[in-house]
Amino acid sequence: MTETAVTSTEPETDPVPPPAPRAGSAAREDAAAPPGRLWALDGLRLVAALMVAAYHLGGRGGEVSRAWGASPAQRFPVLHTYFAYGCLGVQVFFVISGFVICMSGWGRGPRAFLASRAGRLLPAYWAAVVLVTAVSALPVAALRTIPPSDALVNLTMLQQPLGADRVLGVCWTLWAEVRFYVLFALLVVAPGVTRRRVLVFCAGWTLAAAVARGVREPLLDAVLMPGYAPFFVGGVGLYLVHRDRRDVPAWGVVAASWLIGQHQAVAALWRPAHAGAFSHRTAAGIVLVVTLGFAAVAAVALARPRRAAVPWLTAAGALTYPFYLVHEHLGWPLVRALHGGLGLPPAPALALAVAALLVLAWLLHRTVERPLGPRLRRALLAPPAHRSEHGRG
């Protein structure tokens, strides 16, 4: 998630005033999008975030085993098999992100678009980096300590290309999001968003990513992200479908993205079953989850938008992004305290840990995202101060 986790107060999922329809054949290209907020996206984001949390806290081995005192496969003999598919919540986030970013960029210039992205991502991200770094330094947390230099460079979101340790385990997905934003801003928003330009972008990126996969050149992989491009592109195509459900080329973009995306997901996540594996994800199971993710976003795209706020969906939108940022590295100490310290059974311990993380996410939203996000956007959009031509007297 991505980004995909967006709060209900952010403008990116609020309807952007569409350009007036033009006469002739161009009228369809910039036809007005249906009015009203897509509240169901907020609920879908939270579902994707909970999928990823289930994976990190009970669907894999490794560091989380120390929190449980044994492999999660032993703590959740049946559920761990299903939790293992939770990693595909990231792919669902990327589809949602493609939809939302196309919506957010429509009718905006590059400066407004990038300011909205910075205001959306950075305040909660900075707070999460500081919080997880501080908790990791506590002896009772039993988490790896991040070197101060690496912790500081994490504030730039450039830790991965710079080779620094990651404070947040999920920040690799944010790096993918940032690269998508830059591609979309340069190739679509800067020249002006139109349906035709969006379709060319989708087709071009799909073809270029396929070539990059075959060439296996690291720089092309870094820029074109062949493993994740079909999910972003599929979401963009679904936004075009949202604007006009009769748009056949847009449906073609969605179909091609689903076909390529399920293949990429299987190639990345399927392994042959063997006795030492934590849990065996079947190819059919991976395809099913990817298909359900595309279908869920398509259902939102085709549904009639609601004008009135839906309280629980509003809350879901507010919680998702901060929850996604902190759930992994703060979830492990909570599991250790609830299960190992208080002796709670695995299922109640997991449920209480997730509930506590949701409360923390709400606090981060109220104290960090809500006040600082709009201020950062306004600061980035403010005109530069001009000195007097003759200087100060």
Side-chain angles (χ1 to χ4, degrees):
M1 295 282 203
T2 182
E3 143 29 345
T4 64
V6 182
T7 67
S8 61
T9 57
E10 291 301 321
E12 64 180 2
T13 52
D14 290 337
V16 178
R22 291 179 287 181
S25 61
R28 185 184 171 204
E29 178 163 323
D30 296 310
R37 178 176 169 82
L38 300 175
W39 298 99
L41 278 181
D42 292 324
L44 187 55
R45 288 189 191 96
L46 185 58
V47 169
L50 291 172
M51 288 173 61
V52 177
Y55 170 69
H56 283 145
L57 300 179
R60 67 174 188 178
E63 293 182 70
V64 70
S65 298
R66 294 203 296 270
W68 287 111
S71 170
Q74 294 176 267
R75 297 294 183 247
F76 302 98
V78 175
L79 288 177
H80 82 279
T81 300
Y82 299 99
F83 289 167
Y85 289 93
C87 60
L88 286 157
V90 169
Q91 279 76 4
V92 178
F93 268 133
F94 288 165
V95 177
I96 298 171
S97 182
F99 186 105
V100 168
I101 293 310
C102 191
M103 175 187 284
S104 180
W106 213 285
R108 274 186 172 144
R111 187 180 176 192
F113 172 75
L114 293 175
S116 75
R117 297 299 85 226
R120 174 64 198 107
L121 289 186
L122 290 176
Y125 173 78
W126 288 332
V129 168
V130 171
L131 181 60
V132 171
T133 300
V135 171
S136 299
L138 299 175
V140 294
L143 294 172
R144 65 186 179 93
T145 301
I146 305 296
S149 175
D150 285 4
L152 289 172
V153 84
N154 269 254
L155 297 172
T156 68
M157 278 194 182
L158 296 175
Q159 58 272 21
Q160 274 195 256
L162 293 174
D165 282 348
R166 290 179 291 159
V167 173
L168 308 177
V170 299
C171 70
W172 69 268
T173 66
L174 301 183
W175 175 232
E177 292 275 354
V178 167
R179 286 176 284 170
F180 167 47
Y181 299 166
V182 171
L183 285 174
F184 195 80
L186 290 176
L187 300 177
V188 180
V189 177
V193 185
T194 65
R195 169 184 169 274
R196 184 173 302 167
R197 189 164 285 125
V198 170
L199 286 172
V200 170
F201 170 79
C202 291
W205 191 11
T206 298
L207 180 59
V211 171
R213 174 65 83 185
V215 171
R216 299 186 181 278
E217 165 60 41
L219 178 60
L220 289 178
D221 283 346
V223 173
L224 298 172
M225 301 180 289
Y228 306 113
F231 301 100
F232 289 122
V233 170
V236 172
L238 283 168
Y239 180 65
L240 293 181
V241 168
H242 173 66
R243 291 175 66 88
D244 181 2
R245 63 180 60 193
R246 299 167 299 176
D247 192 337
V248 174
W251 278 113
V253 166
V254 174
S257 297
W258 170 74
L259 291 169
I260 298 170
Q262 60 81 30
H263 172 77
Q264 301 287 47
V266 170
L269 299 173
W270 179 83
R271 297 292 183 275
H274 62 87
F278 174 86
S279 184
H280 174 57
R281 283 183 291 256
T282 67
I286 294 170
V287 173
L288 176 62
V289 176
V290 169
T291 302
L292 290 175
F294 270 87
V297 181
V300 175
L302 295 174
R304 184 179 298 277
R306 294 178 60 109
R307 293 180 180 274
V310 182
W312 80 267
L313 291 177
T314 303
L319 296 175
T320 302
Y321 182 51
F323 172 80
Y324 180 74
L325 291 175
V326 302
H327 78 270
E328 183 179 14
H329 291 296
L330 298 189
W332 295 342
L334 281 171
V335 163
R336 179 179 289 106
L338 293 168
H339 180 64
L342 299 180
L344 292 180
L350 179 59
L352 282 177
V354 170
L357 290 166
L358 288 170
V359 171
L360 175 61
W362 180 81
L363 291 173
L364 287 172
H365 170 68
R366 292 298 298 267
T367 62
V368 177
E369 283 192 303
R370 181 176 285 184
L372 298 185
R375 290 181 186 177
L376 180 57
R377 281 196 300 274
R378 287 195 297 269
L380 293 172
L381 290 173
H386 294 287
R387 289 179 178 269
S388 168
E389 190 172 313
H390 300 290
R392 294 182 179 178

